[in-house]
């Protein structure tokens, strides 16, 4: 019997050329499809929700695959993770990609088109002491950041706006650049700052440009009250820099609006 399976996937994107499969280049999608094909004994193709860039990580990427598979649904994650970890390293080993959950969905369900919202997390280490072991997992900024100013700027980003100013060139052309940011929260613990942003969808490099803009606010380069005008200008040149990919994590994907943080009917 044909099944439609929804995978939840976490990965370290450091050594991958992004999510989407590319000929001759290591990608998350391509690597996962190879492991699934080996386990299922047939060629497997998956449809992911978010096409993360090179160096970007994920806690909760989602993807669907359809077909007839001999392996039981509840055994698929274990078998694939064993393959992704090298196959000979033992049950406790983990590779750079790990399937954390597999569940059956209706045949008309699609991981990308049925998504109602996403949360991204951007990690900043705000310390003059640079950490070589964190270089692939956060944006290290030695200059002190003004967190209250950044929070004031973040308030102007929430809501429904035309976010053309936060879109980088080179991505897939969209019918509209209007998006809704349901929630944008800055959390601090010691020298670590995390930016949690939840929306109904995101433009190319949107979270990284929002982060770069907030960082420049924190550095005093952009007044916190100027962010609303930057959005209204619809001009990429007025926004801040594009923060590096290694600090970005795809946190979670939601399929029910009621589950989306900050969503208000």
């Amino acid at each position: 019997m044909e099944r439609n399976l929804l995978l939840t996937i976490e990965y370290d994107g450091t050594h991958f050329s992004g999510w989407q499969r590319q000929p001759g280049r290591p990608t998350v999608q391509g690597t996962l499809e190879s492991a699934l094909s080996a386990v299922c004994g047939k060629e497997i193709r998956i449809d992911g929700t978010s096409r993360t860039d090179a160096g970007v990580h994920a806690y909760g990427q989602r993807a669907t695959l359809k077909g007839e598979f001999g392996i039981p649904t509840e055994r698929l994650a274990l078998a694939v993770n064993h393959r992704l970890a090298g196959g000979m390293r033992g049950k406790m080993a983990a590779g750079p990609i790990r399937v954390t959950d597999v569940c059956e969905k209706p045949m008309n369900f699609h991981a990308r088109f049925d998504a109602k919202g996403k949360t991204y997390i951007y990690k900043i280490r705000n310390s003059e002491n640079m950490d070589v072991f964190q270089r692939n997992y956060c944006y290290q900024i030695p200059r002190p950041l003004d967190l209250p100013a950044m929070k004031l700027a973040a308030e102007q980003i929430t809501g429904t706006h035309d976010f053309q100013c936060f879109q980088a060139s080179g991505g897939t052309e969209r019918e509209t650049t209007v998006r809704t940011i349901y929630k944008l929260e800055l959390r601090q613990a010691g020298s670590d700052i995390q930016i949690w942003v939840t929306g109904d969808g995101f433009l190319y490099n949107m979270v990284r440009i929002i982060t770069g803009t907030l960082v420049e606010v924190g550095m005093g380069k952009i007044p916190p009250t100027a962010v609303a005008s930057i959005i209204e200008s619809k001009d990429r040149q007025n926004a801040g820099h594009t923060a590096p990919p290694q600090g970005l994590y795809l946190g979670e994907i939601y399929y029910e609006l009621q589950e989306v943080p900050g969503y208000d009917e």
Side-chain angles (χ1 to χ4, degrees), residues 11-76:
Y11 51 83
D12 177 344
T14 301
H15 300 296
F16 292 105
S17 298
W19 163 265
Q20 191 172 12
R21 76 175 77 88
Q22 302 176 47
R25 307 191 72 173
T27 65
V28 179
Q29 182 182 24
T31 302
L32 184 53
E33 286 176 341
S34 294
L36 285 164
S37 297
V39 167
C40 296
K42 60 192 296 185
E43 185 177 16
I44 298 294
R45 288 291 180 263
I46 59 177
D47 294 307
T49 304
S50 184
R51 297 176 180 178
T52 55
D53 289 336
V56 175
H57 315 291
Y59 292 117
Q61 172 71 287
R62 298 288 187 96
T64 42
L65 67 151
K66 292 182 179 180
E68 295 185 4
F69 316 108
I71 186 169
T73 300
E74 64 273 13
R75 295 281 300 172
L76 184 63

Side-chain angles (χ1 to χ4, degrees), residues 79-137:
V80 170
N81 291 336
H82 183 64
R83 187 90 185 181
L84 290 167
M88 299 296 290
R89 301 180 185 176
K91 294 182 179 179
M92 299 302 291
I97 306 170
R98 182 170 174 266
V99 177
T100 60
D101 185 68
V102 182
C103 63
E104 294 190 31
K105 305 295 286 186
M107 292 306 295
N108 62 352
F109 177 88
H110 193 283
R112 178 184 175 191
F113 300 128
D114 286 330
K116 299 296 190 294
K118 305 175 187 177
T119 292
Y120 280 94
I121 304 164
Y122 197 96
K123 298 184 180 182
I124 296 171
R125 187 172 188 270
N126 190 204
S127 172
E128 61 182 10
N129 298 315
M130 307 298 278
D131 187 342
V132 67
F133 298 107
Q134 291 297 314
R135 71 191 187 282
N136 293 323
Y137 304 104

Side-chain angles (χ1 to χ4, degrees), residues 161-165 226-235 238:
H161 306 284
D162 186 331
F163 285 112
Q164 189 172 348
C165 70
V227 173
S229 297
I230 292 172
I231 294 172
E232 290 175 6
S233 76
K234 303 179 185 178
D235 189 343
N238 293 331

Side-chain angles (χ1 to χ4, degrees), residues 79-235:
V80 170
N81 291 336
H82 183 64
R83 187 90 185 181
L84 290 167
M88 299 296 290
R89 301 180 185 176
K91 294 182 179 179
M92 299 302 291
I97 306 170
R98 182 170 174 266
V99 177
T100 60
D101 185 68
V102 182
C103 63
E104 294 190 31
K105 305 295 286 186
M107 292 306 295
N108 62 352
F109 177 88
H110 193 283
R112 178 184 175 191
F113 300 128
D114 286 330
K116 299 296 190 294
K118 305 175 187 177
T119 292
Y120 280 94
I121 304 164
Y122 197 96
K123 298 184 180 182
I124 296 171
R125 187 172 188 270
N126 190 204
S127 172
E128 61 182 10
N129 298 315
M130 307 298 278
D131 187 342
V132 67
F133 298 107
Q134 291 297 314
R135 71 191 187 282
N136 293 323
Y137 304 104
C138 65
Y139 185 8
Q140 301 196 68
I141 302 174
R143 180 175 173 177
L145 297 176
D146 183 343
L147 194 63
M150 294 169 70
K151 289 182 177 180
L152 179 60
E155 292 174 3
Q156 300 166 59
I157 298 173
T158 57
T160 301
H161 306 284
D162 186 331
F163 285 112
Q164 189 172 348
C165 70
F166 293 145
Q167 177 180 241
S169 61
T172 303
E173 187 174 348
R174 305 293 184 179
E175 292 183 5
T176 176
T177 49
V178 174
R179 297 290 186 274
T180 298
I181 299 299
Y182 297 116
K183 190 173 184 179
L184 205 173
E185 183 181 11
L186 280 77
R187 306 177 183 180
Q188 184 176 30
S191 61
D192 295 326
I193 298 172
Q194 293 187 0
I195 299 172
W196 289 60
V197 54
T198 300
D200 61 356
F202 295 90
L203 304 170
Y204 184 51
N205 281 348
M206 181 172 169
V207 177
R208 290 168 58 189
I209 298 171
I210 288 175
T211 298
T213 303
L214 293 178
V215 165
E216 292 192 24
V217 168
M219 290 179 172
K221 295 181 178 180
I222 297 176
T225 54
V227 173
S229 297
I230 292 172
I231 294 172
E232 290 175 6
S233 76
K234 303 179 185 178
D235 189 343

